[in-house]
């Protein structure tokens, strides 16, 4: 039974939210509620890559071995191709096998997210099938949430802190006035699951091909001969060009000189091609205020070049938990007190995001991509 009040409420049970909840527990905060609008396991449209950064956080939480219980595919590097057709494979940094489980892997979010959420569920109180519709406020401070159960019952729950980990369309971000990411800092992308693609190399593949410039086409290897296939393009470019991503993906697979042979016998699963949006870390979004913090996609932290977001979601969740635990000890939930969260987060990932944004800009020019990859 849900209590009337908590020290911290985490909205969103994905990797960012579940990581936040577990690090709160690790920091000595026991009175935590983790909420999600779905019931796990649930799917999320994504590239499904679990990077080295994600592996590091999962090891720190002591849950990395739990992923062995679900289907996943180890990946050893990234393969880039240029519009001209040159290819470049870059291996992931990889320690001794006794130290590091895997350099990285690809796991469907329906499996991977469930692993993390179920571990969080063992440590903190959880509430599934509950949709947050508003925030409770007193004297310009967020002091809880208002939401609906699956049967439509409205409930208010008080909290000293609310952490928004509820994705790109975050209700928490919207209700504090931080829901909009400019289209030039947002990608719209597709995802389809295909079986039977030939020429897989054990690498994540990012192809900068003429058909989707200045975006790219990807193939990420999955378990049992499956692959996650999609393409991404800046929302501003999609709007300007009236670009149909689904049709473009189908055309690339059917007609491209590079890919039509590889996809000749491939079949897509019954879900077909799905579309979703990615808020990029090239936009430094306001991520904290009186009584609230944002992590992961809600804080617009997706890598502008690779499109990878789980690592930064989990990293921000770790920092958010540490700063919330500190604020609880100090009994100070002011925006100024959480400036330190923003500083630590961006001191850690800011230079990487800036580099990725610069690489994304290079990706708008075929001649530069051909030069760099060549």
């Amino acid at each position: 039974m849900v209590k009337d009040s908590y020290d911290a409420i985490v909205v969103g049970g994905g990797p960012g939210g579940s990581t936040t909840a577990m690090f709160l527990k690790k920091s000595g905060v026991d009175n935590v509620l983790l909420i999600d609008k779905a019931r796990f396991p649930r799917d999320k449209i994504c590239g499904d890559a679990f990077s080295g950064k994600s592996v590091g956080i999962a090891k720190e939480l002591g849950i990395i071995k739990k992923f062995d219980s679900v289907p996943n595919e180890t990946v050893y590097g990234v393969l880039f191709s240029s519009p001209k057709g040159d290819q470049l494979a870059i291996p992931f940094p990889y320690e001794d096998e006794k130290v590091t489980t895997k350099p990285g892997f690809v796991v469907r979010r329906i499996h991977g997210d469930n692993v993390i959420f179920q571990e969080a569920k063992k440590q903190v109180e959880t509430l599934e099938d509950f949709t947050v519709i508003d925030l409770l406020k007193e004297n310009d401070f967020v002091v809880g949430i208002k939401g609906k159960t699956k049967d439509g019952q409205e409930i208010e729950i008080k909290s000293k802190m609310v952490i928004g980990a509820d994705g790109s369309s975050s209700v928490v971000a919207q209700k504090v006035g931080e829901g909009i990411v400019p289209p030039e800092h947002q990608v719209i992308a597709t995802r389809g699951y295909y079986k039977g693609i030939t020429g897989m190399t054990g690498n994540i593949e990012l192809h900068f091909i003429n058909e989707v410039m200045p975006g790219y086409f990807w193939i990420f290897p999955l378990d049992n001969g499956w692959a996650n296939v999609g393409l991404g393009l800046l929302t501003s470019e999609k709007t300007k060009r009236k670009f149909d991503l689904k049709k473009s993906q189908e055309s690339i697979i059917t007609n491209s000189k590079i890919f039509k042979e590889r996809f000749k016998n491939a079949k897509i699963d019954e879900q077909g091609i799905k579309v979703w949006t990615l808020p990029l870390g090239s936009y430094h979004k306001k991520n904290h205020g009186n009584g609230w913090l944002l992590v992961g996609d809600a804080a617009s932290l997706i890598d502008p070049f690779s499109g990878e977001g789980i690592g930064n979601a989990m990293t921000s969740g770790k920092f958010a938990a540490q700063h919330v635990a500190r604020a609880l000890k100090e009994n100070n939930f002011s925006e100024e007190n959480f400036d330190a969260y923003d500083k630590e987060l961006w001191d850690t990932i800011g230079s990487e995001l800036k580099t990725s944004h610069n690489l994304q800009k290079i990706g708008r020019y075929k001649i530069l991509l051909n030069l760099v990859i060549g």
Side-chain angles (χ1 to χ4, degrees):
M1 188 68 185
V2 176
K3 299 193 290 276
D4 292 331
S5 67
Y6 292 84
D7 287 333
I9 292 176
V10 183
V11 182
S18 291
T19 295
T20 304
M22 283 188 278
F23 273 110
L24 281 167
K25 180 69 175 177
K26 207 176 173 75
S27 301
V29 183
D30 294 320
N31 194 20
V32 177
L33 178 65
L34 176 61
I35 294 173
D36 201 275
K37 65 182 178 182
R39 180 160 292 277
F40 284 75
R42 59 94 180 98
D43 190 23
K44 183 176 179 184
I45 310 167
C46 180
D48 297 331
F50 205 81
S51 68
K53 191 186 293 184
S54 311
V55 169
I57 298 286
K59 284 173 68 179
E60 195 173 342
L61 287 168
I63 64 171
I64 189 62
K65 290 290 187 183
K66 301 292 182 181
F67 289 93
D68 293 341
S69 66
V70 297
N72 69 80
E73 184 73 7
T74 303
V75 286
Y76 299 93
V78 184
L79 174 73
F80 297 99
S81 73
S82 71
K84 195 170 74 174
D86 290 327
Q87 292 194 346
L88 169 69
I90 302 177
F92 292 140
Y94 188 42
E95 300 170 52
D96 185 82
E97 197 172 331
K98 293 174 185 174
V99 180
T100 303
T101 311
K102 296 176 179 181
F105 55 94
V106 184
V107 56
R108 296 178 194 239
R109 294 290 293 272
I110 194 167
H111 301 310
D113 285 15
N114 191 47
V115 166
I116 305 172
F117 180 79
Q118 296 304 333
E119 290 303 308
K121 197 172 184 177
K122 295 173 186 175
Q123 301 178 38
V124 304
E125 197 172 338
T126 57
L127 178 59
E128 298 172 77
D129 286 329
F130 186 83
T131 303
V132 174
I133 56 175
D134 208 350
L135 301 177
L136 306 179
K137 295 180 183 178
E138 290 176 10
N139 302 320
D140 201 33
F141 275 75
V142 172
V143 295
I145 57 100
K146 180 180 181 180
K148 281 185 178 180
T149 61
K150 199 172 184 180
D151 60 9
Q153 181 187 0
E154 286 196 5
I155 297 175
E156 292 186 357
I157 310 170
K158 290 288 190 78
S159 178
K160 293 173 183 174
M161 280 298 305
V162 173
I163 299 102
D166 45 341
S168 58
S169 56
S170 167
V171 173
V172 177
Q174 289 173 38
K175 295 300 179 181
V176 296
E178 296 298 327
I180 296 173
V181 174
E184 63 271 22
H185 297 287
Q186 186 184 78
V187 161
I188 186 157
T190 60
R191 183 210 72 185
Y193 289 129
Y194 294 78
K195 190 165 191 174
I197 304 167
T198 58
M200 304 299 285
T201 61
N203 292 310
I204 283 170
E205 301 179 36
L206 301 178
H207 299 283
F208 296 91
I209 55 178
N210 291 318
E211 290 91 332
V212 288
M213 289 291 294
Y216 62 78
F217 177 72
W218 74 74
I219 305 172
F220 291 178
L222 277 166
D223 57 283
N224 298 313
W226 286 93
N228 180 317
V229 179
L231 54 88
L233 189 69
L234 283 171
T235 302
S236 54
E237 283 288 331
K238 178 196 177 294
T239 303
K240 186 168 72 178
R241 294 165 55 184
K242 297 184 173 64
F243 198 86
D244 188 317
L245 276 80
K246 284 187 179 182
K247 283 184 180 176
S248 183
Q249 178 163 323
E250 289 164 351
S251 175
I252 290 165
I253 286 165
T254 307
N255 303 315
S256 166
K257 281 191 287 187
I258 305 171
F259 299 108
K260 66 180 180 181
E261 192 62 30
R262 291 184 64 185
F263 280 83
K264 186 169 67 174
N265 299 312
K267 303 292 182 189
I268 193 169
D269 77 352
E270 68 280 355
Q271 293 183 69
I273 298 173
K274 303 273 191 180
V275 178
W276 91 106
T277 56
L278 296 81
L280 305 179
S282 50
Y283 177 64
H284 189 155
K285 188 177 188 178
K286 184 181 177 185
N287 55 30
H288 64 289
N290 294 334
W292 62 272
L293 293 179
L294 301 176
V295 302
D297 290 8
S300 192
L301 297 179
I302 289 175
D303 188 282
F305 185 65
S306 70
E308 199 271 332
I310 297 174
N312 285 343
M314 295 177 79
T315 300
S316 62
K318 174 185 172 179
F319 292 151
Q322 291 169 349
H323 285 280
V324 168
R326 174 181 59 79
L328 285 162
K329 285 176 186 170
E330 297 167 354
N331 197 33
N332 180 356
F333 310 106
S334 67
E335 179 175 332
E336 292 75 19
N337 199 28
F338 290 115
D339 287 346
Y341 162 67
D342 179 75
K343 185 177 188 311
E344 183 173 16
L345 178 62
W346 281 85
D347 282 353
T348 304
I349 67 172
S351 60
E352 181 185 304
L353 290 173
K354 185 177 180 182
T355 299
S356 288
H357 190 212
N358 288 333
L359 286 169
Q360 182 209 75
K361 289 176 183 175
I362 288 174
R364 298 173 193 178
Y365 303 99
K366 290 181 192 177
I367 191 167
L368 286 176
L369 268 178
N370 287 330
L371 182 67
V372 169
I373 294 175

